[in-house]
């Protein structure tokens, strides 16, 4: 990314974080194009000068919003996978619920606008998404195989490639529009199809994957 909010926020992290939090809510809900810096300043009750002192452009603010989003996703997932070996099935459920909750925040206008207005950032997001899925779900799948709830007749690397390939093929604005999917429904369906397909009878008998 071209900039970091910590290096362009002379007003201090508390002010910058207030801006990022407000922008994250507005951008994710309404899209990037339809939210102006003037509107954000008014919502926060601050002058445009203060806002631009923190973030000199809407693109730099978008970068900060994406960093904030990924930090919160990583923190939540790290908390789940740090001690997942004791109850893999429960950890898998919590991991799915966590990803669904974070995906639910992202509305279609945001994904569409970011891909259209900032394809470079959109590519970075896709790469980060792949890394997050591979790291956290890969850990759970490995522990699930050892616990006997994930099939061992399918290589773990192939399971991950199928999961990542499905996410890449479906979770993009043109395909979601074509299939009339929201980020939440698209993601939940992919996980349901892939994960239920790789669970053993033992895993299914304990508790079906919930969405």
């Amino acid at each position: 990314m071209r900039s970091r909010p910590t290096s362009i926020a002379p007003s201090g992290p508390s002010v910058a974080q207030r801006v990022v939090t407000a922008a994250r809510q507005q951008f994710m809900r309404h899209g990037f194009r339809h939210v102006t810096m003037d509107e954000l300043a008014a919502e926060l009750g601050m002058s445009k000068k203060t806002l631009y002192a923190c973030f000199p452009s809407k693109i730099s603010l978008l970068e900060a919003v994406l960093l904030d989003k990924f930090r919160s996703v990583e923190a939540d997932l790290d908390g789940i996978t740090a001690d997942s070996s004791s109850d893999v099935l429960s950890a898998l459920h919590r991991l799915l619920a966590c990803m669904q909750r974070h995906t639910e925040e992202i509305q279609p206008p945001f994904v569409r606008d970011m891909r259209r207005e900032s394809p470079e950032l959109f590519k970075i997001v896709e790469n980060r998404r792949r890394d997050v899925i591979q790291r956290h779900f890969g850990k759970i799948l490995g522990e699930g195989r050892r616990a006997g709830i994930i099939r061992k007749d399918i290589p773990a690397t192939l399971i991950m490639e199928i999961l990542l390939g499905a996410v890449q093929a479906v979770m993009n604005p043109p395909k979601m529009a074509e299939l009339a999917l929201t980020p939440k429904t698209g993601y939940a369906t992919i996980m349901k199809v892939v994960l239920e397909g790789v669970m053993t009878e033992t895993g299914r008998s304990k508790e079906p994957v919930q969405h």
Side-chain angles (χ1 to χ4, degrees):
M1 291 187 182
R2 294 183 296 277
S3 59
R4 291 291 183 273
T6 52
S7 64
I8 58 173
S11 299
S14 61
V15 176
Q17 187 58 50
R18 283 182 58 214
V19 174
V20 169
T21 299
R24 176 171 162 176
Q25 293 173 349
Q26 295 298 323
F27 286 176
M28 296 287 180
R29 185 181 305 135
H30 303 296
F32 175 65
R33 294 179 63 191
H34 299 290
V35 179
T36 69
M37 298 290 270
D38 287 358
E39 290 170 339
L40 285 172
E43 178 184 338
L44 289 163
M46 66 175 57
S47 67
K48 287 191 292 182
K49 180 179 179 181
T50 301
L51 179 60
Y52 279 105
C54 291
F55 302 99
S57 70
K58 198 156 69 162
I59 286 293
S60 67
L61 179 53
L62 175 61
E63 292 177 354
V65 165
L66 293 174
L67 286 173
D68 186 67
K69 175 67 170 175
F70 275 112
R71 274 196 297 265
S72 62
V73 170
E74 291 277 9
D76 288 347
L77 295 182
D78 284 343
I80 294 169
T81 58
D83 187 29
S84 54
S85 58
S86 59
D87 189 343
V88 179
L89 197 58
S90 174
L92 178 59
H93 282 258
R94 287 185 287 125
L95 199 67
L96 290 170
C98 177
M99 290 297 289
Q100 242 186 296
R101 185 175 67 255
H102 277 289
T103 306
E104 189 174 16
E105 180 186 16
I106 306 169
Q107 295 301 306
F110 175 76
V111 181
R112 182 192 61 234
D113 286 356
M114 189 174 64
R115 187 173 186 268
R116 182 184 300 162
E117 301 292 325
S118 187
E120 180 185 338
L121 281 179
F122 186 76
K123 188 64 178 177
I124 290 173
V125 168
E126 286 189 316
N127 290 338
R128 286 288 295 271
R129 180 178 66 189
R130 179 182 177 90
D131 176 66
V132 166
I133 292 174
Q134 198 161 19
R135 188 149 35 88
H136 293 284
F137 278 94
K139 184 175 188 292
I140 294 291
L141 289 176
E143 291 171 347
R145 285 161 71 93
R146 289 189 289 274
I149 66 171
I150 298 295
R151 295 167 56 174
K152 295 181 179 178
D153 59 323
I154 305 174
T157 52
L158 180 56
I159 294 173
M160 285 306 306
E161 285 303 317
I162 291 171
L163 176 57
L164 292 166
V167 170
Q168 182 74 14
V170 175
M171 301 301 288
N172 62 80
K175 184 57 67 175
M176 286 193 290
E178 177 187 332
L179 299 175
L181 293 173
T182 65
K184 178 184 176 181
T185 56
Y187 176 82
T189 302
I190 290 169
M191 291 298 171
K192 179 179 178 65
V193 170
V194 175
L195 293 179
E196 288 189 354
V198 300
M199 290 189 77
T200 62
E201 290 299 323
T202 299
R204 293 182 186 181
S205 66
K206 286 184 178 180
E207 190 178 3
V209 176
Q210 299 293 322
H211 299 287

